[in-house]
């Protein structure tokens, strides 16, 4: 008969349990003890430096893309309001940037654009840092889940709507104060703009990690697949978001027209508007996303090596 060494030390009915050896816990490995007492361990190593790296990455990306986005957005608003033709507005803004850079960079339009994209990039970075902290994972870990999409979308859309309202007031046509300040945007337009921005955010922060592995390895000989996916996915998404954008604008500009007329108007402007929006989106979420991701990866990699 077995001597009982292989049995579980569970007392039978009526038996007393063996007394606990107070020294036995010290014979366990530290990892085992920590696991027993703290089932979830957070990776808080160099957390303050990781948070600072998130901010530096976001500021670097926003600072580099904000001038071009400011110029494009101002041109679009001034052209839509009739204040100045698109190309004329873009040329004058570029001239101001080159001849009076300090004035341009201190201007309210530039600060508004910087606020929108710094906050968007910082939110996405913060989700990665939170995820690597509570998982725990290496500090270079990035996510592509729902939490990042929802957080970045909420920040970008809320600040973007505020920015658009300020731009509409600043760059309204002379003598057209009443229409710029009192004409309300239909709720349906806000809904379409929100859907438009959500799709763009999804293509900017969630799709690149999924698309990059699908690209040919030959791409890496020219440019990294991750960088290419970061540029291509938000640009390609404009094919689908531009109709939403045009439909929302048409609801505002031509209230009361028939569905057929609206479809014709959107279809007529779709191709050209898609190209223009691609030109604006690529620096905002393409190059900006690449810069943000690369700077953050480098900073986090340096922290991990120390």
């Amino acid at each position: 008969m077995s001597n009982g060494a292989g049995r579980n030390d569970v007392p039978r009915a009526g038996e007393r349990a063996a007394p606990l050896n107070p020294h036995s816990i010290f014979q366990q490995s530290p990892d085992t003890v920590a696991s027993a007492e703290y089932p979830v361990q957070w990776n808080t190593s160099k957390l303050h430096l990781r948070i600072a790296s998130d901010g530096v990455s976001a500021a670097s990306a926003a600072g580099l893309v904000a001038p071009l986005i400011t110029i494009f957005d101002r041109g679009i608003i001034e052209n839509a309001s009739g204040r100045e033709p698109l190309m004329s507005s873009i040329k004058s803004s570029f001239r101001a940037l080159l001849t009076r850079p300090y004035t341009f960079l201190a201007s309210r339009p530039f600060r508004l654009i910087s606020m929108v994209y710094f906050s968007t990039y910082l939110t996405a970075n913060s989700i990665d840092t939170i995820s690597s902290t509570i998982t725990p994972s290496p500090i270079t870990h990035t996510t592509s889940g729902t939490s990042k999409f929802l957080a970045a979308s909420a920040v970008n859309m809320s600040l973007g709507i505020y920015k658009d309202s300020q731009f509409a007031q600043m760059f309204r046509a002379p003598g057209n104060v009443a229409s710029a300040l009192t004409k309300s945007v239909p709720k349906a337009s806000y809904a379409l703009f929100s859907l438009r921005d959500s799709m763009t955010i999804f293509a900017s922060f969630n799709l690149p990690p999924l698309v990059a592995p699908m690209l040919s390895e030959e791409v890496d000989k020219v440019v990294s697949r991750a960088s290419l996916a970061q540029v291509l996915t938000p640009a390609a998404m404009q094919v689908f978001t531009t109709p939403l954008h045009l439909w929302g604008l048409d609801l505002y500009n031509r209230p009361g027209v028939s569905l057929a007329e609206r479809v014709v108007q959107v279809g007529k402007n779709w191709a050209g508007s898609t190209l223009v929006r691609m030109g604006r989106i690529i620096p905002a979420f393409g190059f900006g996303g690449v810069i943000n991701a690369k700077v953050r990866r480098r900073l986090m990699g340096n922290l991990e090596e120390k």
Side-chain angles (χ1 to χ4, degrees):
M1 180 178 292
S2 170
N3 60 6
R7 296 178 301 169
N8 294 330
D9 297 328
V10 179
R12 297 176 180 177
E15 292 183 353
R16 297 183 58 186
L20 176 66
N21 181 356
H23 300 289
S24 63
I25 191 172
F26 297 106
Q27 298 172 359
Q28 302 178 41
S29 67
D31 291 341
T32 304
V33 176
S35 176
E37 296 183 355
Y38 308 100
V40 178
Q41 296 183 3
W42 286 10
N43 178 14
T44 58
S45 174
K46 304 173 185 175
L47 184 57
H48 63 295
L49 295 177
R50 290 154 59 190
I51 294 173
S53 297
D54 287 341
V56 170
S57 304
S60 300
L64 289 173
V65 302
L68 190 59
I69 298 173
T70 302
I71 292 171
F72 284 171
D73 276 7
R74 177 170 181 167
I76 292 170
I77 296 294
E78 288 189 326
N79 183 64
S81 69
R83 177 178 180 138
E84 189 173 357
L86 179 60
M87 293 310 299
S88 175
S89 174
I90 290 175
K91 288 178 181 178
S92 63
S93 293
F94 269 114
R95 192 179 304 114
L97 175 61
L98 295 175
T99 59
R100 302 187 305 275
Y102 297 111
T103 302
F104 182 94
L105 297 177
S107 67
R108 190 156 182 258
F110 176 80
R111 288 185 281 114
L112 284 169
I113 295 292
S114 298
M115 172 195 68
V116 172
Y117 289 98
F118 169 77
S119 301
T120 302
Y121 298 140
L122 180 61
T123 300
N125 292 344
S126 299
I127 294 298
D128 287 336
T129 294
I130 292 172
S131 176
S132 66
T133 299
I134 66 178
T135 305
S137 302
I139 62 178
T140 54
H141 171 73
T142 58
T143 65
S144 59
T146 304
S147 58
K148 179 186 283 189
F149 165 66
L150 293 177
S153 293
V155 170
N156 184 265
M157 287 191 296
S158 58
L159 294 180
I161 290 173
Y162 172 74
K163 179 267 298 178
D164 287 340
S165 68
Q166 297 302 301
F167 268 47
Q169 294 183 24
M170 287 186 288
F171 303 126
R172 61 183 180 268
N176 194 25
V177 177
S179 63
L181 295 179
T182 63
K183 185 178 179 180
S184 60
V185 178
K187 293 181 179 179
S189 293
Y190 280 118
L192 289 168
F193 294 158
S194 297
L195 179 58
R196 173 203 66 192
D197 291 344
S198 295
M199 292 170 67
T200 299
I201 291 291
F202 180 75
S204 302
F205 293 107
N206 296 72
L207 284 185
L210 304 177
V211 171
M214 301 178 187
L215 300 177
S216 171
E217 295 183 0
E218 295 297 317
V219 173
D220 286 323
K221 296 179 180 179
V222 180
V223 63
S224 74
R225 287 181 290 174
S227 296
L228 183 61
Q230 186 70 63
V231 172
L232 290 181
T233 51
M237 185 61 76
Q238 300 314 299
V239 173
F240 306 101
T241 60
T242 297
L244 302 176
H245 176 70
L246 295 175
W247 200 284
L249 289 176
D250 202 53
L251 288 171
Y252 174 75
N253 293 324
R254 302 192 307 155
V257 304
S258 68
L259 177 62
E261 290 178 291
R262 214 176 291 286
V263 170
V264 170
Q265 180 71 11
V266 170
K268 182 175 68 175
N269 295 325
W270 173 75
S273 298
T274 297
L275 293 176
V276 172
R277 285 184 57 78
M278 282 182 176
R280 181 199 178 279
I281 287 296
I282 287 176
F285 292 106
F287 296 141
V290 170
I291 294 167
N292 177 60
K294 282 194 170 184
V295 173
R296 184 180 186 276
R297 192 181 306 119
R298 175 69 61 87
L299 294 175
M300 293 297 182
N302 291 340
L303 290 177
E304 200 168 43
E305 293 173 0
K306 292 181 180 179

